[in-house]
Amino acid sequence: MISYLTTGSIYSLQQLGITAAAGGIFLAYYMMMLLAIILGGGLLIWWLWRYICAKQGKPRKPLATWARVVTALVSIYPIWFGVGTLSIWYSGYQIDKARVAENVRRYGPLEQTTQFGEMQLVAGTLINRGDPWRFKDRPQQDPLLDLEAVRFIEPTPVAGVLAYAMSVEGSSLTIELAQEYQLDTAELSRHCPVGYILMYTFPDRRILEEKRLEPPYTWFTPSQWEPTSCFDSTTGVMVMDMNQHGIYFPKKASPYTPKK
């Protein structure tokens, strides 16, 4: 108990330290921004006042050399701060733009009908693919390379069973049932309603990655596999999509409707 309390206290202090550090950084930034606004605004108003006076025929005395030097030095700070802020904003914009482009590539509708093992995935099917670094150096750029999950645009037979969606990630095939299914195995007999997840374990447990990444993905032969279990899931097969607000999960137990 003492050890638990000690560990918890240390963790809490660490979290407080991180929060305080973050708060200190933001406070310092806003103080720097405030100083830049005051100096920049003050200089702008001062130069504008001198300009108006000159226009009205009441020019102010020329600045002494030391005053010119001080004015130039003071004006450097707001310029430096503004350029730095714009640079940080533009860098963040570029990162966000690249992330959105990558998400669109990874989570979106299939552009053309493509063969995936013994199945044909039609254009418009919602697909999810893996991280690009895993196959960026491979010569082929097949649209189903490193496929993880699929949501069909209409109930589609997988191993003879109608499915709304399927996942081939990991060591098993899981499908989201679009029809009732009676599962009967040596260990289990169960009625699986629409929307339940039906699982097929890969015969070799884990398909070698090199084999998984070779079009047309002949390793995918679910008609030769046997289901091992079925269960309910509040999310169904989680297949991600993109809209103007970012990534979201289409609702389960329904086909995918491509955006128009």
Side-chain angles (χ1 to χ4, degrees), residues 71-93:
T71 302
L73 290 175
V74 170
S75 65
I76 288 174
Y77 177 77
I79 294 172
W80 167 81
F81 186 84
V83 170
T85 299
L86 285 175
S87 177
I88 293 171
W89 173 84
Y90 184 72
S91 176
Y93 167 77

Side-chain angles (χ1 to χ4, degrees), residues 96-231:
D96 288 342
K97 185 178 178 181
R99 182 171 60 247
V100 169
E102 181 53 34
N103 286 339
V104 169
R105 189 201 67 78
R106 290 184 62 187
Y107 316 121
L110 187 62
E111 293 184 358
Q112 59 186 23
T113 299
T114 308
Q115 195 70 30
F116 185 71
E118 63 182 25
M119 288 187 65
Q120 197 174 58
L121 301 183
V122 300
T125 299
L126 176 62
I127 61 171
N128 285 184
R129 301 199 293 169
D131 292 328
W133 65 266
R134 297 182 60 193
F135 50 84
K136 66 181 181 181
D137 297 326
R138 297 182 69 86
Q140 67 268 22
Q141 291 299 318
D142 187 272
L144 299 182
L145 196 61
D146 204 26
L147 184 70
E148 293 181 347
V150 171
R151 184 163 293 278
F152 305 108
I153 56 176
E154 60 183 19
T156 300
V158 181
V161 182
L162 286 180
Y164 287 121
M166 72 175 185
S167 169
V168 296
E169 191 175 6
S171 60
S172 61
L173 162 69
T174 54
I175 67 173
E176 184 181 298
L177 291 173
Q179 68 176 78
E180 295 183 351
Y181 184 82
Q182 180 61 39
L183 176 65
D184 291 306
T185 68
E187 298 81 18
L188 179 68
S189 178
R190 185 172 187 182
H191 176 69
C192 309
V194 173
Y196 267 49
I197 303 299
L198 185 64
M199 177 180 288
Y200 297 73
T201 302
F202 294 155
D204 299 328
R205 294 298 296 173
R206 292 198 65 84
I207 308 296
L208 291 176
E209 183 169 285
E210 284 300 312
K211 191 174 181 181
R212 289 179 71 112
L213 298 179
E214 292 178 358
Y217 315 102
T218 55
W219 63 269
F220 186 71
T221 55
S223 63
Q224 301 174 23
W225 305 340
E226 294 294 332
T228 56
S229 63
C230 83
F231 52 90

